[in-house]
Amino acid sequence: MRRGSAASVAASSEWIAEDGVRQPGGEAHAWRPGTNQTLCGLALSRTRLRRFPHVPFDFRASDVLTEQDRIGYICPRCVAATSRRGERNWTRTAPRP
Ligand SMILES: [Zn+2]
């Protein structure tokens, strides 16, 4: 396994940028490609979050959303999960319901 595989964005809505690339909007969570849930434990299928494997989740807790951002909400739990040091600790997996 690679060191701290980067998380991508899963968001509640999407828009198309001028270059034609899908971009996340609405509510943003972190998601690792290959998994079916966000880092905070939301099931992608149940919440209908869209996946953006080409968009890295690199938000920080200090990030400020501007009017240019189409994202209205960044999940603080996913920010915490991706900004934590010592990423080996993230292996805890949520139990299935
Ligand atoms: Zn989240």
Side-chain angles (χ1 to χ4, degrees), residues 28-30 38-40 42 75 77-78:
H29 293 267
T38 64
L39 294 192
C40 63
L42 294 176
C75 175
R77 285 192 289 172
C78 285

Side-chain angles (χ1 to χ4, degrees), residues 1 32 84 86-94:
M1 185 188 298
R32 287 184 205 278
R84 184 190 306 162
E87 294 207 273
R88 285 168 174 257
N89 293 332
W90 72 270
T91 52
R92 182 174 69 100
T93 53

Side-chain angles (χ1 to χ4, degrees), residues 5-23:
S5 60
S8 294
V9 172
S12 60
S13 66
E14 67 184 41
W15 56 283
I16 307 297
E18 289 181 10
D19 56 7
V21 177
R22 263 184 340 123
Q23 296 293 331

